[in-house]
Amino acid sequence: MPRFRLSRRSMLRGTAGFAMALPALEIMSGTAHAGADIPRRYFLGFAGTSTGFPTFDYDLLKPDATGVGYDIKRALAPLADLGVREEVSVVTDLEIPWGEEGSIPAGGRHIGWHAHSTAPLISGVRSISGSNEAAAGATSEVVAADALGGDETLHRYLAYRVQAAYYRGSNGDGGNRGRITYRDEGGSIIPIDPISSPRLAYESLFTGFVPPDPAEAAEALAALRRRRSAVDLVLEDAQSLMTKLGSADQTRMERHLDELRDLERRLDEVSTPAEGACALLPDPGEDPAIGGTVENGDTNGYASGGAYSDEELRATVMTDLVAMAFTCDLTRSASLMYTMAQCFLNANPLFGQPSDIHELGHYGVGGGEVGLNAVSDGVAWHVGHWARLVQKLRDTQELDGSSVLDHTAMVLLFEGGWGFDPESGDALSVHSSENMAVLLAGRVGGLNAGGGVHISSPGSHPTQVVNTALSALGINHEMGEVSGIIDGLIG
Amino acid sequence: MGVLVLGGGPGCYVGSSADEDPSAGEETGDDSGNSGNSGGSDSDSDSGDPTEPPPVEVLERVGELGMRRLTAAEYSATVRDLLGVDVDAALLLPEDWRQPFDNDYTTQNASQALIDGAELLAADVAGLALEPGLRDATVGCTPAGPTDAACFQEFLARFGRRALRRPLSEDDLSRYGALISEAEETGDFYDAVDVAIRALLQHPEFLYRIEVGTPLEGVPDVFALNDYEVATRLSYMLWGSTPSDTLLDLAEDDGLSDPEGIRAAAEDMLLDERAKARVGRFHALWLGYETLPHSPDLTTAMQAETQALIDKVIFDDAMPWQELLRSSETYVDTTLAEHYGLPAPATPGWVDYADSGRRGLLSHGSFLSAMSKIDDSSPTKRGILVRTRLMCQVIPPPPPTVDVDMVEPEEGTCKEDFYVEQHLNAPGCVSCHALMDPIGLGLENYDHTGAFRTVENDDESCVITGQGELDGSPFSGPAELSELLIDSGSLNRCVAEQLYRFAMGRTELAPVDASFIDFVVEQNGAEGDFDFAALVLAFVSEDAFRYRRNEAAQ
């Protein structure tokens, strides 16, 4: 028979004094978090775009002024609109080194552009080769999950993706361009598929939650029992298969079993959302349909809504889910890939440009300042959703009155910057890992203690900002081959 | 299979892709982890004792194969055939990576996204299958009461066999039968059925195609498939879906234990409409038109055009596969006829190409839309498409000093001139581009939507010559290119190679795979016209089809 037990999370959720349906939970109301007990959280966002525009020797992301109270240009406009500048630091003039096959430097990328900056950016380990875009090291949300008590939360980490499909060639061509999560399994680096369905993300996140209404709770518990019965049987079946398989398939099945066991564990974690900030979010309903492919330059295709699956809604839902996951301590580490590397997402529904974001980065609309503005709007779209999460976490109170953001470090990475392109030899290209920028939010460990700052750190590696975030979280880890943090970010 | 080196200068190697990785075919002999238990189930009648191996020449054609997760398309088709419900599994399962086929198991990794997606899908399917209109058909018996264990067992035995593609063992039936407690608890028989469906649709033997087989005496790394495993191989290869009851019955009666039985079953399966869809999907993934970057009307019309030709040539008229490239008529609706400049039929139907210069599939908008670039065709990419997909040759990626996004003609430059000057007359470029661009330039009279044109993008100063070349032979247009490809003698093997990739779910091939392909091609005719259905039948009735080789340890 299914077993139900109260996890530490149930205890924490119960502490807010929600009017609980389950008698066993009623006894838990009234205990507040002590400050030292409040978990720390880590969030990684990724934008599959460069920040500059061809021929321009500046972008509209980098503030003119350094230090606190930095000025905000077009690409960072959401920081002002949402009132979160004081919670966000901007690190600019970063660079990922490059090299040809066989001479790629530590933490560097293959000289070919698409999409070779992503792997060193997210893992800190140099590109594998010119034909392999996968990361060669574990990524930071996995590292953080291990260090922040991922085994104590319902979800070790969340790996979500907003962009529903690749939108170029045959959908499904994205492959490693649609992933930013990798884990180290005994020296083998395994890519982790993100959840890209808001509906699945919702159902998965709130596994085990039951509503407070007694009748609804009984129904929910019965449904959970049935789910658990099914999974129990499947686990037995999977285990019995193991001895019949060859070693390669045993490895695959073991991975499947690990994930099944994790689902089983989550189905055990019955709890009721606590009163206050932790709450069961409204069901987002069915997923928006997945849009079709559009080729470069097909303005009609973009104008008629191709290459789009309502990513605006998807980003909003997933942001809400991450915020609530942190608030309810359902996880302490999450990544959200807003767009895939070489982002072919339609910009038209987002900010009125009948093109994809990748194409805008090359040709803009009309070129010149208009093009730079369009590219910056694309950057701003990513910044806006990331900043909304900053805002939500800042405005969500822990039980001791502090904000969730006080215990959180958040990073936003961009696939590229602008500057020299070693492929073409162009001095001012968007196929460049020069002049890269990273945003860092949160107040854990002294981050942004005196308000958000702009720091120019020429030649530093963008993944050093990730190191800085991990350091602020108290995690003694440096990403792959990238060592050191960015000075001046931890107050 | 020898290495074929064409034209190119230093650094541009072109060879058969099946030979490209010299280490890929090393036989490891790894059998660790195999218990010697045969078959995919405890209930299978195979003893598990080693069986006599086939002749050495057959063993040398047995390829490696690992467990393969159902693709989203296969999942949807499977639950439709099992229960009559329609779900879009692509919304909830991790996306299948096309390269170009969507079923390469080496790209699949279990993840929370898969496990949770499969659980949610199973719940969706169970809910739909137990809606009033489908419930009786799903269960197959009428319960006398909420705890009618006999009806529940009857359902389990019938549905379980179909879902897991093998009979449930007594142990399976006992364990799953205990789910009747769900009905006892709620007083609703169908709650137990609901849980059983959910469990079976999350079962690894449902989500994956797992072949265990029977060990062979003295050959530790090769296993003989049991009949149910053969049935499953057949059904997913020919239908992209689960075996029918008829096929499972055949497996139960040992009807798939020899090439003759398999051939007979496959002949029957090719008569099913699902075979048409599957063969169409094979071609669509292979040639890159599964999705098209056009308006819904035009996309639908183009895909219908190509599917109609495949149906007609391969199934309805049983003509040689080469007729796909030679056909002098095509299936269009008004939208597509106008797009091509052909006479529009009153209702969708066949029209004669007449002297339009078009012939066969290479004239279709579906094919001509593939690998287009920046609001126009790309002669280079079209050349790559022909070389890699239709001739099964390998073209290395561009050198790192080439920025493929930025290589476009400058304003006022005719594209054809640009390609000649920048690619074909440039010492550092010509060695590789000579293999690609001349093919694409011969198709330039057809834009990236397949529409005919005489000048580039309405620029009267850039008149398109439409003159191309394939390995020294000049051509102009799809019809002449098709003839050159047919005459090249490479199509027969290349089609078989692509079919092998699709059937085995593995893109990277090893020499042992090449042995299988060569043998089948030899049986079916290495040169001249061939029948695609005959190729399929030769494939599935080749002795090595009934075996699998363990993968090398990872």
Side-chain angles (χ1 to χ4, degrees):
Chain A
M1 287 295 293
R3 293 172 288 108
F4 299 109
R5 62 186 171 82
L6 297 174
S7 67
R8 178 170 175 274
R9 284 170 307 291
S10 302
M11 296 290 288
L12 293 175
R13 284 195 292 268
T15 58
F18 198 79
M20 297 185 182
L22 303 176
L25 291 171
E26 287 175 354
I27 58 172
M28 294 190 305
S29 59
T31 305
H33 276 299
D37 293 337
I38 296 177
R40 288 160 290 152
R41 292 88 160 192
Y42 175 71
F43 176 80
L44 175 72
F46 177 88
T49 181
S50 292
T51 54
F53 192 65
T55 75
F56 281 79
D57 63 356
Y58 62 90
D59 60 36
L60 299 183
L61 186 155
K62 181 182 175 182
D64 290 332
T66 55
V68 296
Y70 55 84
D71 52 303
I72 288 183
K73 299 181 182 179
R74 191 168 183 129
L76 294 185
L79 300 186
D81 296 344
L82 296 171
V84 297
R85 184 186 61 176
E86 296 311 307
E87 283 74 36
V88 176
S89 285
V90 183
V91 189
T92 60
D93 300 322
L94 303 165
E95 178 180 316
I96 298 175
W98 59 83
E100 295 192 22
E101 196 120 0
S103 59
I104 301 171
R109 68 173 174 93
H110 182 266
I111 192 172
W113 177 247
H114 295 303
H116 291 298
S117 64
T118 306
L121 189 59
I122 59 176
S123 71
V125 181
R126 74 192 79 189
S127 301
I128 296 171
S129 72
S131 58
N132 189 340
E133 297 165 358
T139 51
S140 56
E141 75 276 57
V142 177
V143 170
D146 290 342
L148 297 178
D151 54 354
E152 298 173 26
T153 53
L154 191 62
H155 297 265
R156 190 169 195 82
Y157 53 82
L158 303 178
Y160 292 164
R161 190 184 70 218
V162 170
Q163 187 177 330
Y166 191 56
Y167 300 132
R168 183 59 52 91
S170 290
N171 275 340
D173 279 349
N176 286 320
R177 296 183 180 192
R179 301 176 174 131
I180 55 168
T181 307
Y182 293 78
R183 70 179 178 221
D184 186 336
E185 291 185 2
S188 295
I189 306 302
I190 306 299
I192 306 300
D193 287 318
I195 289 178
S196 58
S197 155
R199 177 179 172 232
L200 177 59
Y202 175 87
E203 295 286 350
S204 174
L205 179 64
F206 292 113
T207 305
F209 270 52
V210 296
D213 175 79
E216 291 178 4
E219 192 175 323
L221 285 169
L224 277 171
R225 189 189 64 241
R226 289 198 291 272
R227 290 173 67 184
R228 175 63 198 266
S229 296
V231 171
D232 279 349
L233 275 171
V234 175
L235 264 171
E236 287 177 28
D237 292 328
Q239 282 163 336
S240 70
L241 268 171
M242 284 294 284
T243 57
K244 301 177 182 177
L245 304 176
S247 60
D249 279 350
Q250 280 186 340
T251 301
R252 294 187 180 99
M253 186 59 74
E254 190 55 54
R255 200 169 290 138
H256 189 93
L257 266 169
D258 285 346
E259 298 292 349
L260 263 178
R261 290 189 194 105
D262 188 62
L263 173 59
E264 180 193 44
R265 180 183 62 82
R266 284 184 277 128
L267 289 170
D268 268 350
E269 307 277 337
V270 174
S271 58
T272 302
E275 193 175 44
C278 176
L280 184 64
L281 290 171
D283 188 335
E286 294 297 317
D287 289 333
I290 295 177
T293 60
V294 179
E295 291 302 320
N296 276 355
D298 182 0
T299 51
N300 289 334
Y302 290 116
S304 59
Y308 187 66
S309 310
D310 204 345
E311 272 75 5
E312 183 67 44
L313 174 65
R314 288 168 181 265
T316 301
V317 171
M318 289 182 172
T319 298
D320 291 345
L321 292 176
V322 171
M324 197 52 72
F326 283 174
T327 302
C328 298
D329 198 24
L330 296 172
T331 193
R332 296 171 189 170
S333 184
S335 66
L336 182 50
M337 188 177 207
Y338 294 102
T339 49
M340 294 188 187
Q342 196 177 11
C343 168
F344 290 120
L345 175 64
N346 188 352
N348 202 42
L350 304 179
F351 47 94
Q353 298 289 0
S355 179
D356 64 64
I357 288 177
H358 169 260
E359 189 71 359
L360 280 179
H362 283 298
Y363 304 103
V365 177
E369 292 284 351
V370 178
L372 179 62
N373 286 342
V375 163
S376 302
D377 288 345
V379 173
W381 181 77
H382 297 86
V383 172
H385 282 287
W386 183 82
R388 186 168 159 268
L389 182 58
V390 175
Q391 184 192 48
K392 286 181 80 77
L393 297 183
R394 183 197 61 190
D395 297 344
T396 302
Q397 280 195 345
E398 301 277 12
L399 298 179
D400 67 353
S402 61
S403 102
V404 175
L405 195 65
D406 290 340
H407 310 277
T408 302
M410 294 175 57
V411 174
L412 178 59
L413 302 173
F414 298 93
E415 184 185 358
W418 56 267
F420 179 63
D421 172 17
E423 274 187 313
S424 65
D426 289 350
L428 293 174
S429 171
V430 292
H431 282 190
S432 178
S433 52
E434 292 185 334
N435 299 298
M436 293 178 73
V438 179
L439 306 189
L440 177 63
R443 293 192 181 277
V444 71
L447 289 179
N448 301 304
V453 296
H454 167 217
I455 290 178
S456 166
S457 187
S460 293
H461 196 292
T463 307
Q464 287 180 273
V465 183
V466 176
N467 285 347
T468 308
L470 296 179
S471 178
L473 287 162
I475 300 172
N476 182 24
H477 180 93
E478 293 184 326
M479 296 298 297
E481 300 166 325
V482 175
S483 61
I485 64 172
I486 305 290
D487 291 336
L489 288 170
I490 299 179
Chain B
M1 186 64 192
V3 173
L4 177 66
V5 181
L6 292 184
C12 202
Y13 162 83
V14 180
S16 167
S17 54
D19 300 316
E20 66 193 75
D21 181 356
S23 66
E26 291 177 3
E27 296 179 14
T28 64
D30 169 59
D31 67 339
S32 59
N34 278 83
S35 67
N37 193 0
S38 72
S41 81
D42 297 338
S43 68
D44 193 80
S45 57
D46 292 346
S47 68
D49 296 329
T51 189
E52 190 174 335
V56 171
E57 60 267 26
V58 173
L59 286 174
E60 290 174 345
R61 300 194 294 267
V62 177
E64 290 184 356
L65 204 57
M67 51 191 272
R68 289 173 279 179
R69 177 173 59 74
L70 299 187
T71 66
E74 288 169 343
Y75 187 105
S76 293
T78 296
V79 297
R80 189 182 308 120
D81 289 345
L82 283 176
L83 294 162
V85 302
D86 282 314
V87 292
D88 184 358
L91 285 172
L92 295 177
L93 293 180
E95 63 183 351
D96 298 308
W97 192 348
R98 272 75 165 162
Q99 44 182 352
F101 301 112
D102 62 348
N103 60 355
D104 188 332
Y105 70 87
T106 65
T107 67
Q108 300 170 338
N109 285 302
S111 60
Q112 184 182 339
L114 170 67
I115 298 299
D116 288 12
E119 200 219 1
L120 189 53
L121 267 172
D124 285 354
V125 172
L128 291 167
L130 293 175
E131 287 179 355
L134 287 174
R135 194 176 69 179
D136 290 349
T138 295
V139 177
C141 51
T142 304
T147 58
D148 184 341
C151 181
F152 190 57
Q153 285 285 321
E154 184 182 331
F155 157 74
L156 285 174
R158 188 180 58 80
F159 179 71
R161 186 181 86 141
R162 300 193 68 204
L164 303 190
R165 306 179 280 272
R166 49 94 173 165
L168 266 59
S169 65
E170 289 302 318
D171 179 58
D172 291 332
L173 287 169
S174 171
R175 290 187 304 109
Y176 278 75
L179 291 176
I180 197 69
S181 64
E182 297 290 338
E184 290 167 359
E185 183 137 350
T186 64
D188 185 344
F189 176 82
Y190 298 102
D191 281 346
V193 176
D194 173 80
V195 179
I197 292 174
R198 290 182 189 218
L200 287 165
L201 297 189
Q202 292 177 73
H203 195 294
E205 289 181 77
F206 172 81
L207 287 175
Y208 296 90
R209 294 157 56 191
I210 299 172
E211 296 172 346
V212 177
T214 305
L216 302 181
E217 291 171 359
V219 190
D221 57 338
V222 179
F223 298 80
L225 305 186
N226 67 39
D227 280 28
Y228 291 104
E229 291 167 339
V230 170
T232 299
R233 265 199 186 191
L234 277 177
S235 66
Y236 281 95
M237 176 179 171
L238 301 185
W239 288 347
S241 186
T242 197
S244 62
D245 282 330
T246 303
L247 201 55
L248 292 172
D249 289 345
L250 204 55
E252 188 173 344
D253 295 339
D254 296 330
L256 299 172
S257 300
D258 54 58
E260 294 73 24
I262 294 172
R263 171 181 281 270
E267 286 174 344
D268 287 344
M269 293 173 74
L270 287 172
L271 299 174
D272 191 288
E273 287 297 312
R274 286 171 290 189
K276 287 185 176 179
R278 188 63 168 170
V279 171
R281 183 167 179 77
F282 162 67
H283 283 81
L285 289 165
W286 168 27
L287 299 176
Y289 60 87
E290 180 203 15
T291 58
L292 292 172
H294 305 312
S295 68
D297 285 353
L298 194 57
T299 293
T300 301
M302 285 180 177
Q303 290 169 334
E305 176 192 30
T306 306
Q307 184 67 47
L309 183 62
I310 290 168
D311 290 350
K312 178 181 172 66
V313 168
I314 294 176
F315 293 96
D316 301 339
D317 295 350
M319 290 186 285
W321 182 87
Q322 280 81 352
E323 282 301 314
L324 289 178
L325 306 188
R326 292 193 191 111
S327 178
S328 61
E329 58 180 358
T330 198
Y331 184 91
V332 291
D333 61 9
T334 304
T335 301
L336 196 55
E338 290 176 355
H339 184 72
Y340 289 156
L342 294 171
T347 58
W350 295 92
V351 300
D352 198 302
Y353 276 135
D355 58 357
S356 69
R358 294 180 189 265
R359 287 288 183 279
L361 196 154
L362 302 193
S363 306
H364 289 192
S366 55
F367 177 82
L368 292 165
S369 299
M371 291 194 176
S372 59
K373 187 178 181 184
I374 310 183
D375 207 14
D376 200 355
S377 59
S378 165
T380 301
K381 289 190 170 188
R382 279 182 173 166
I384 292 172
L385 185 67
V386 170
R387 288 275 183 204
T388 60
R389 302 285 176 86
L390 282 167
M391 302 179 78
C392 290
Q393 295 173 350
V394 178
I395 293 181
T401 51
V402 172
D403 178 353
V404 295
D405 273 337
M406 306 302 286
V407 181
E408 292 301 325
E410 291 180 7
E411 195 74 25
T413 304
C414 294
K415 191 169 69 172
E416 194 166 330
D417 295 339
F418 171 84
Y419 274 82
V420 171
E421 290 167 12
Q422 297 292 318
H423 290 177
L424 302 179
N425 289 342
C429 305
V430 65
S431 59
C432 289
H433 276 282
L435 297 170
M436 305 175 284
D437 296 11
I439 298 173
L441 290 171
L443 298 172
E444 271 295 276
N445 279 128
Y446 300 84
D447 73 10
H448 67 297
T449 70
F452 184 79
R453 61 183 176 178
T454 56
V455 298
E456 289 177 14
N457 300 329
D458 300 326
D459 182 351
E460 297 295 334
S461 67
C462 290
V463 176
I464 296 170
T465 68
Q467 295 300 308
E469 182 187 299
L470 177 66
D471 296 338
S473 299
F475 75 91
S476 180
E480 292 182 14
L481 174 59
S482 294
E483 286 304 320
L484 287 179
L485 286 170
I486 291 168
D487 292 344
S488 74
S490 65
L491 282 174
N492 296 26
R493 191 185 187 286
C494 187
V495 174
E497 183 176 318
Q498 303 290 13
L499 180 64
Y500 186 86
R501 286 193 171 93
F502 188 55
M504 301 296 276
R506 180 158 45 80
T507 304
E508 295 297 327
L509 302 183
V512 69
D513 301 312
S515 300
F516 183 100
I517 296 163
D518 288 339
F519 184 82
V520 170
V521 170
E522 193 65 30
Q523 301 294 306
N524 201 48
E527 294 184 2
D529 286 358
F530 75 93
D531 183 282
F532 186 82
L535 171 66
V536 169
L537 295 174
F539 190 113
V540 302
S541 56
E542 136 69 335
D543 280 320
F545 183 78
R546 292 178 290 120
Y547 297 86
R548 73 164 183 91
R549 184 182 302 274
N550 257 353
E551 291 173 286
Q554 292 183 330

